[in-house]
Amino acid sequence: MAYIGQRMTRVEDERLVTGQGQYVSDITPSGTLHLAVVRSLHAHARITHLDLSSAQCLDGVIGVYGPDDVLPIMKPFPPGMVDARLQARMPTPLATGRVHYVGEPVAVVVALSRYIAEDAVRLVEVNYEPLPAVTDPVAGEYADPIHDGADSNLAAEIAYRVGAGADALKDADLVVQTSLRLGRVVGHPMEPRGIVAIYDSEQQNLSVYAGTQGVHGFRKSLADMLGLSESRIRVVAPDTGGGFGLKTRIYPEDVLAAYLAMRLNRPVKWQGDRYEEFISTNQERDQWHRAKIGVKRDGRIVAVVDEYYQDQGAYTPSGIIVADTTAVSIMGPYRVPNFEAVGKVVVTNKVPVGPYRGAGRPQGTFVMERLMDHAADALGMDRVQIRRINLLTPDQLPYQNGISSRGALMTLPYGEYQKTMEQVVDAIQYEQYRDTVRCEGDWRLGIGIANYLEMSGGVGFEGAKMRLLSDGRVQIATGASGQGQGHRTAIGQVAADRLGLPFEQIVVVEGDTAAIERGIGTFGSRTMIMAGNATTQAAKGFRQRLLAFAADLFEASPEDLMWQHGTISVSGVPARALSLAQIAEEALTRQQELEYEAYFDASGPAFGMGTHGVEVAVNTKTWEVKIRQYRICHDGGVIVNPLLVEGQTIGGTVQGLGTALFEALIIDPDSGQPQNASFLDYLLPGAGEMPDFMITEVEYPDPTNPEGFKGVAEGGVMPPMAAVCAAIEDALKEWHVRADVLPITPNDIFLQVTRGGAHETRSI
Amino acid sequence: MKPAAFEYVCPDTLEEALSYLDLWGDSAKILAGGQSLVPLLNMRLAQPQYIIDINRLPGLSGITRHPDTRTVEIGALVRHHQLISNPILLAHASLLSEAARYIGHIAIRSRGTIGGSIAHADPSGELPLAVTALRGHLKVRSRHSQRTIPIEDFFGGYYMTALEPNELIYAVEVLESPIRTGCAVKEFQRRHGDFALASAAAAITVDESGAVLQARVAVGGVAPNAVTCSKVEEALCGQTNNNQFSLAAELVAQHIDPPEDIQASADYRRHLAIALAAEAIDSAYERALWAKEEA
Ligand SMILES: Cc1cc2nc3c(=O)[nH]c(=O)nc-3n(C[C@H](O)[C@H](O)[C@H](O)COP(=O)(O)OP(=O)(O)OC[C@H]3O[C@@H](n4cnc5c(N)ncnc54)[C@H](O)[C@@H]3O)c2cc1C
């Protein structure tokens, strides 16, 4: 039958594109009250006075609550990820005494409508005594601590060393050093965060609808914060419009809405708006690097050394995952015999940093690929050639690069990295290109190539629970709730194949704690690896369960039964056969549930290598950068659905190109105020700015899981920055433009060209 | 992102609209295409007590040519997309059609109005730029009076105009372009549909020999309001070649002192303004030569 590998269109789409999706904002039970948040106007200040009285008097306001009014939940959130290297800084749902970033919740209003709630927000009087804002992680490390009780702003220090580390640089013929910056990127799912909380005071049960990437984790955190047993809480993630990692954790608004729903005994809804996305949802990238590479004259890498700072923002909601993954991702698909990375995670007066698609992988890739380009330039070597020399070869794989991450040595499985890279090099006509004219009118053309190694999955477990529905269809529930990826289609394909059933007979449900007991969620490109393999495992057990049940009916032994096309029959006696629908009927009369639940445990991350190649044109009058061609070749492991994989790859690449050329939240260095917190001047790339993408796939099955799946959701976002920067430098060789600070904008290029040399300018 | 409460009226006649305006003055806002006002309301950057919706007013949606005065009058409610394809404008004031193409996206062009764009006075607005280049006039009315304001007296800084709180723009008037005129607008946007970082508009008229007879040049996005560049215009007169045009375009620098913000440095804006003016002049001149051939 083989559904795996087919370009099947998504079962999700008809509902979604005809506007029948049900998002949090579509869910408004009768009697719902609306919550709005009073947010800090200062990056860093003491609250000297909070007066809620005028807001309370407004018609239609049910209540206004400061920290003293919600004492039962005024405790720090449980640390997102425990790590011995981290001194966690976790917020309380409302700030007490001191605010740490523009947007931090100070008080909340509950009213009959969001309109009234927003009116009341403006009547809450907060007096602030401003404090100096810490806006730069380098100086910030030694600035006065921004958190009461902390002795410094250094929240964690990350260190990795392989071989002789930095000491090995002395063995290099040439050492190249560069400073790199990645801007503060706001993730911007299409759907802003939101929650509806409904309390049933009779049963004392709480139901929550929230656009979250993991309903079980959400339930656990909510239970902790509310002091309620998990068994009393049901969390449902309805249709969710994107997450990208930003919706993996619980946020203050979630706890406040749930708590107030219980206290007021009325449904409470908070639907964040776009401005709130800009000033309250975790942000990312935002790193400063000083990186060195030592090479031999023939181009071989001797050592890579990186010192970096993570501008962490005010709290550590997801621990050090971003900063840690950065270090782990630097070496990529290359043989790096000596390596050292020291990263400092410094808290600043900005929105907290938490994983956004890639979660450190893009940063690590940017560092390594920029170093490769600069080393090649310094050696007078071709930029692709230095990569050919240093990519791991098939005979070196599997390869342990010496990094131990989450308790295990990183092991890169078999792959043919050179072949993958050459596919892109050929497709973009790199060699021919280098010898031809590089101008078209006012436009200069340039080309850039970047490699990456995508690390996916690898942590925890995920489950699949199969149940025979009364009409003979098989329902599969998983805790890995999607936000638009097309899981129902892809998991359905795996299940259909492994159960030997038509695809139409499979129903996948996700995002409901009532549908499956345990689960972790969708992030880190883990779902096909984890839930996919759990589905395969469950299919095995589920078949056995059904065969055993049918054996009873037939009074035969299970070994004598055949399972074919959704029918179970006695071998050799075709007349004695039951369809799954008939079996379901029998189960109903015998009051038996035919279900089976399996959990797949990760044994380590999967790795897939890929290459991006880009051709840009830069206008020498306006310094506008246009992307003319974009080629991708990547390893998708065993690909379940190429259509979905390409969608993931293109989506990620577009986000990477945004980080490269357009996106950055600019924070005033003195006041800590965001300068472009709206889509008017925070530039998300649009379809018009993007090229057509040409993608080819190679499939090296991953050895860490029986199905050989690899994650594919973060590969796209890893190399575009480096590839584009390389192409811009190539196009503007004549002016020695250096593209090491992101985003690289026409204004930056202009300033480099006219003033000579690289400038650390920040503009968008 | 919910607006503060306001009272909404939707009058059927200009008189009625003007009397509301007279009554409420500062505490009211006119609603035309809503493409600038509604975002301001949602972000509560504007919190008027009253909204006067003028979309139903008759007589504000036409484009008329007055051969006697050699003018073209554009009703305040004319939508951006209409400017692009209107035959009268294409024949007699094509700078407006050229400019309107660059405004936002199709949804914005189908709602936004010329009156709203001028009244909103965005420093990067294409229509303020084009009307400034053409030395247009605004026809303004209040309940008891009516006046015509030359565009050079109309803008008063970022988003500021000479309109009194009780006044409404009912039409924009420009002189017909002389024969043998070519028009062009050039601008630089970071993304498709964005407001311009800098922009330039040129309307060039040539004589029978092909030398520049009259030039109208303005730049936008580089000052609180669009700026006419009389030095450039003077330098262009009598010229016939591109080198001279570039030299003339350099004089743009003498008319502007661009601001620096997160989008662009002052130097970059100045550089763009000059480059775009040169391009607009070249392109307008080329079109003027075609027009000469046709004449
Ligand atoms: C995404 C987006 C992109 C855009 N891009 C561009 C762009 O590239 N270039 C550009 O120029 N514009 C752009 N705009 C703005 C657009 O052109 C607006 O339509 C225009 O600026 C305002 O016209 P309006 O009819 O929508 O006015 P409204 O929004 O209804 O009103 C704007 C202001 O003018 C006042 N007003 C309206 N009509 C009158 C009148 N007849 N008399 C007196 N006062 C009046 C209103 O009270 C209000 O203060 C963009 C808008 C959006 C949403």
Side-chain angles (χ1 to χ4, degrees):
Chain A
M1 210 167 292
Y3 288 104
I4 292 179
Q6 303 290 323
R7 302 177 72 86
M8 295 183 67
T9 52
R10 310 191 329 157
V11 295
E12 291 90 342
D13 284 342
E14 190 177 327
R15 274 181 64 250
L16 296 178
V17 301
T18 55
Q20 296 172 65
Q22 282 286 307
Y23 297 85
V24 165
S25 109
D26 297 311
I27 299 168
T28 313
S30 72
T32 296
L33 300 174
H34 297 264
L35 187 144
V37 184
V38 180
R39 298 184 182 278
S40 171
L41 302 175
H42 291 269
H44 196 193
R46 290 218 174 268
I47 298 175
T48 52
H49 181 68
L50 181 63
D51 183 351
L52 311 175
S53 54
S54 343
Q56 264 151 349
C57 294
L58 190 72
D59 245 13
V61 168
I62 303 294
V64 186
Y65 309 89
D68 294 342
D69 308 307
V70 294
L71 287 175
I73 55 167
M74 282 302 293
K75 50 190 175 192
F77 281 83
M81 293 205 182
V82 181
D83 191 301
R85 293 167 291 178
L86 168 73
Q87 287 177 288
R89 311 282 203 281
M90 297 304 288
T92 47
L94 295 174
T96 41
R98 188 165 175 174
V99 287
H100 306 86
Y101 62 93
V102 174
E104 184 165 15
V106 170
V108 287
V109 176
V110 175
L112 294 178
S113 77
R114 172 80 184 208
Y115 289 86
I116 298 171
E118 286 192 23
D119 291 344
V121 161
R122 279 160 183 79
L123 297 176
V124 171
E125 287 164 34
V126 193
N127 294 352
Y128 297 99
E129 184 187 297
L131 296 166
V134 173
T135 56
D136 162 346
V138 180
E141 184 185 351
Y142 301 105
D144 285 343
I146 65 167
H147 289 287
D148 291 325
D151 41 312
S152 98
N153 290 322
L154 183 66
E157 191 160 333
I158 290 157
Y160 287 95
R161 190 179 160 99
V162 173
D167 296 340
L169 286 174
K170 65 179 187 324
D171 301 328
D173 292 333
L174 183 78
V175 175
V176 176
Q177 173 174 326
T178 189
S179 293
L180 304 163
R181 292 273 303 271
L182 295 102
R184 177 164 273 257
V185 173
V186 188
H188 285 307
M190 193 100 80
E191 182 199 17
R193 291 186 296 114
I195 183 170
V196 179
I198 305 156
Y199 188 57
D200 176 346
S201 56
E202 242 161 70
Q203 302 288 323
Q204 301 190 347
N205 285 337
L206 178 72
S207 296
V208 157
Y209 294 89
T212 172
Q213 295 178 231
V215 285
H216 295 87
F218 193 99
R219 177 175 66 178
K220 169 96 175 66
S221 306
L222 202 53
D224 285 351
M225 291 303 286
L226 296 173
L228 204 64
S229 149
E230 277 188 72
S231 61
R232 298 209 165 276
I233 306 176
R234 176 181 178 190
V235 178
V236 176
D239 288 318
T240 302
F244 308 117
L246 311 165
K247 297 179 183 169
T248 47
R249 302 265 153 217
I250 194 168
Y251 284 82
E253 298 86 353
D254 299 318
V255 178
L256 288 157
Y259 170 75
L260 290 168
M262 291 174 67
R263 176 153 148 191
L264 298 169
N265 201 15
R266 299 259 306 260
V268 172
K269 177 172 185 170
W270 172 75
Q271 175 59 68
D273 61 30
R274 189 55 63 185
Y275 182 58
E276 293 184 289
E277 278 297 298
F278 270 107
I279 59 166
S280 74
T281 297
N282 292 347
Q283 301 173 352
E284 229 240 62
R285 310 299 186 246
D286 212 352
Q287 293 181 352
W288 308 41
H289 290 260
R290 188 168 302 119
K292 289 183 194 146
I293 185 167
V295 286
K296 288 286 187 196
R297 225 170 301 276
D298 62 11
R300 272 177 304 136
I301 297 171
V302 174
V304 170
V305 177
D306 185 27
E307 279 173 70
Y308 64 100
Y309 286 84
Q310 175 73 56
D311 185 332
Q312 176 59 35
Y315 298 103
T316 57
S318 296
I320 54 171
I321 182 94
V322 174
D324 191 50
T325 307
T326 299
V328 167
S329 303
I330 292 174
M331 286 192 271
Y334 302 103
R335 217 180 86 79
V336 181
N338 302 288
F339 172 72
E340 189 162 326
V342 178
K344 290 181 172 176
V345 178
V346 178
V347 286
T348 58
N349 292 116
K350 301 179 190 173
V351 169
V353 158
Y356 161 59
R357 200 172 199 162
R361 294 166 184 82
Q363 292 94 319
T365 305
F366 185 64
V367 171
M368 187 67 193
E369 294 299 311
R370 291 277 62 209
L371 284 176
M372 294 298 267
D373 285 341
H374 294 323
D377 293 353
L379 287 166
M381 183 181 272
D382 178 74
R383 286 174 164 189
V384 165
Q385 187 57 24
I386 197 170
R387 290 175 165 83
R388 285 193 185 106
I389 292 168
N390 289 290
L391 276 175
L392 286 159
T393 53
D395 58 294
Q396 291 167 335
L397 293 165
Y399 176 79
Q400 292 190 326
N401 64 11
I403 294 268
S404 165
S405 169
R406 298 175 197 127
L409 269 181
M410 276 173 63
T411 307
L412 282 47
Y414 183 79
E416 292 159 297
Y417 297 174
Q418 282 83 358
K419 252 167 98 175
T420 296
M421 181 175 77
E422 297 303 341
Q423 275 204 31
V424 172
V425 168
D426 288 348
I428 207 153
Q429 299 190 303
Y430 184 86
E431 302 296 343
Q432 294 91 310
Y433 193 94
R434 301 202 68 81
D435 313 319
T436 53
V437 187
R438 323 284 302 280
C439 299
E440 268 178 29
D442 291 331
W443 298 87
R444 291 293 171 104
L445 310 183
I447 208 160
I449 301 281
N451 295 317
Y452 67 98
L453 184 72
E454 177 174 16
M455 172 174 70
S456 55
V459 281
F461 66 88
E462 201 59 75
K465 180 176 182 176
M466 291 192 177
R467 191 156 75 86
L468 188 62
L469 300 178
S470 58
D471 59 3
R473 291 181 302 157
V474 178
Q475 175 186 292
I476 300 153
T478 172
S481 31
Q483 313 91 47
Q485 292 87 344
H487 291 161
R488 294 180 202 182
T489 309
I491 291 173
Q493 286 176 263
V494 174
D497 270 2
R498 298 301 168 239
L499 288 171
L501 291 178
F503 179 74
E504 295 69 34
Q505 212 168 329
I506 310 288
V507 192
V508 179
V509 295
E510 38 178 357
D512 186 350
T513 53
I516 182 165
E517 278 67 325
R518 299 192 292 138
I520 293 192
T522 289
F523 52 84
S525 305
R526 67 193 298 276
T527 297
M528 279 326 289
I529 299 175
M530 305 303 300
N533 280 286
T535 299
T536 301
Q537 278 182 11
K540 224 183 204 165
F542 185 66
R543 266 167 94 127
Q544 278 163 7
R545 173 85 182 86
L546 260 59
L547 286 170
F549 178 76
D552 272 356
L553 295 179
F554 291 129
E555 295 177 345
S557 112
E559 293 84 68
D560 294 335
L561 298 187
M562 277 182 32
W563 168 297
Q564 226 174 13
H565 308 308
T567 303
I568 298 179
S569 60
V570 180
S571 304
V573 196
R576 300 193 64 193
L578 287 173
S579 70
L580 289 194
Q582 289 167 319
I583 291 188
E585 216 166 288
E586 294 291 343
L588 208 63
T589 49
R590 286 169 176 69
Q591 297 195 343
Q592 287 201 35
E593 279 286 355
L594 292 179
E595 53 182 34
Y596 189 86
E597 192 170 341
Y599 288 88
F600 177 74
D601 289 304
S603 63
F607 291 96
M609 182 269 177
T611 305
H612 287 202
V614 61
E615 182 192 19
V616 302
V618 186
N619 187 299
T620 53
K621 278 189 177 162
T622 62
W623 307 104
E624 177 185 3
V625 177
K626 266 195 195 148
I627 299 165
R628 308 220 321 171
Q629 281 198 72
Y630 208 102
R631 308 279 175 158
I632 299 171
C633 181
H634 75 107
D635 174 8
V638 172
I639 291 177
V640 175
N641 185 333
L643 208 54
L644 297 182
V645 170
E646 282 164 22
Q648 287 294 328
T649 304
I650 292 174
T653 304
V654 170
Q655 286 173 311
L657 292 172
T659 303
L661 295 170
F662 296 102
E663 294 182 57
L665 188 67
I666 307 292
I667 308 282
D668 182 81
D670 299 323
S671 68
Q673 293 286 341
Q675 304 294 293
N676 55 334
S678 95
F679 279 154
L680 184 64
D681 41 18
Y682 181 95
L683 308 182
L684 278 186
E689 284 66 56
M690 291 296 111
D692 287 335
F693 295 95
M694 309 278 275
I695 305 174
T696 52
E697 270 124 13
V698 290
E699 300 192 40
Y700 300 101
D702 203 80
T704 58
N705 66 89
E707 291 286 11
F709 296 155
K710 287 180 179 173
V712 294
E714 288 162 300
V717 79
M718 293 169 71
M721 290 78 91
V724 164
C725 288
I728 291 172
E729 289 179 354
D730 186 40
L732 301 179
K733 262 196 205 120
E734 185 183 332
W735 292 275
H736 308 288
V737 165
R738 188 90 173 223
D740 285 346
V741 177
L742 300 180
I744 173 107
T745 66
N747 182 59
D748 294 341
I749 296 172
F750 166 82
L751 293 178
Q752 284 197 37
V753 167
T754 52
R755 295 177 191 173
H759 280 262
E760 292 240 333
T761 52
R762 303 293 292 156
S763 67
I764 56 160
Chain B
M1 293 263 190
K2 304 286 184 209
F6 53 79
E7 199 170 305
Y8 169 87
V9 293
C10 188
D12 290 312
T13 64
L14 185 58
E15 289 63 40
E16 200 188 341
L18 291 173
S19 55
Y20 283 131
L21 209 49
D22 205 55
L23 190 65
W24 295 328
D26 261 344
S27 48
K29 273 274 172 205
I30 293 170
L31 174 71
Q35 298 303 293
S36 298
L37 181 59
V38 173
L40 292 177
L41 293 177
N42 283 352
M43 294 194 238
R44 297 195 181 212
L45 294 171
Q47 300 198 25
Q49 252 177 295
Y50 304 95
I51 294 283
I52 306 169
D53 184 341
I54 61 169
N55 284 281
R56 280 211 214 139
L57 301 190
L60 266 62
S61 302
I63 299 175
T64 350
R65 185 180 169 212
H66 300 294
D68 47 333
T69 49
R70 305 190 65 79
T71 54
V72 178
E73 191 177 308
I74 302 127
L77 282 179
V78 168
R79 313 281 158 177
H80 305 332
H81 78 95
Q82 292 173 283
L83 299 176
I84 297 177
S85 55
N86 180 270
I88 297 175
L89 292 182
L90 287 171
H92 303 289
S94 65
L95 192 65
L96 290 170
S97 312
E98 287 290 317
R101 288 169 190 279
Y102 287 94
I103 301 174
H105 308 273
I106 193 158
I108 287 129
R109 292 195 295 271
S110 65
R111 287 173 183 254
T113 66
I114 188 169
S117 178
I118 305 267
H120 186 59
D122 191 289
S124 298
E126 281 80 5
L127 298 178
L129 170 71
V131 176
T132 298
L134 295 176
R135 315 304 202 262
H137 289 77
L138 305 170
K139 296 190 150 185
V140 167
R141 282 185 59 172
S142 64
R143 189 171 172 205
H144 297 295
S145 65
Q146 138 165 21
R147 58 179 178 143
T148 298
I149 312 175
I151 191 112
E152 51 267 40
D153 299 336
F154 184 73
F155 296 120
Y158 291 98
Y159 307 102
M160 301 293 280
T161 71
L163 272 188
E164 295 296 331
N166 64 347
E167 283 181 325
L168 172 153
I169 302 173
Y170 71 92
V172 177
E173 187 184 65
V174 293
L175 276 178
E176 267 181 38
S177 300
I179 53 162
R180 295 186 302 268
T181 298
C183 294
V185 173
K186 298 284 170 188
E187 67 176 53
F188 182 66
Q189 322 163 308
R190 288 299 312 282
R191 299 172 305 176
H192 296 83
D194 275 346
F195 279 99
L197 272 191
S199 53
I204 307 271
T205 308
V206 294
D207 64 19
E208 277 161 1
S209 74
V212 175
L213 192 63
Q214 174 191 292
R216 297 282 186 238
V217 178
V219 291
V222 288
N225 305 114
V227 180
T228 49
C229 303
S230 52
K231 291 186 181 156
V232 180
E233 295 171 344
E234 283 158 26
L236 286 171
C237 282
Q239 303 295 346
T240 53
N241 93 34
N242 288 19
N243 282 342
Q244 299 298 332
F245 295 165
S246 315
L247 286 177
E250 305 266 337
L251 300 174
V252 163
Q254 300 191 11
H255 290 276
I256 57 174
D257 182 14
E260 175 136 358
D261 59 27
I262 57 164
Q263 300 266 8
S265 58
D267 285 350
Y268 180 52
R269 276 213 163 82
R270 186 179 301 109
H271 164 83
L272 282 178
I274 293 169
L276 293 164
E279 276 187 41
I281 292 165
D282 278 355
S283 167
Y285 178 74
E286 202 171 307
R287 288 173 183 178
L289 292 182
W290 295 342
K292 178 175 80 85
E293 295 302 310
E294 280 170 20

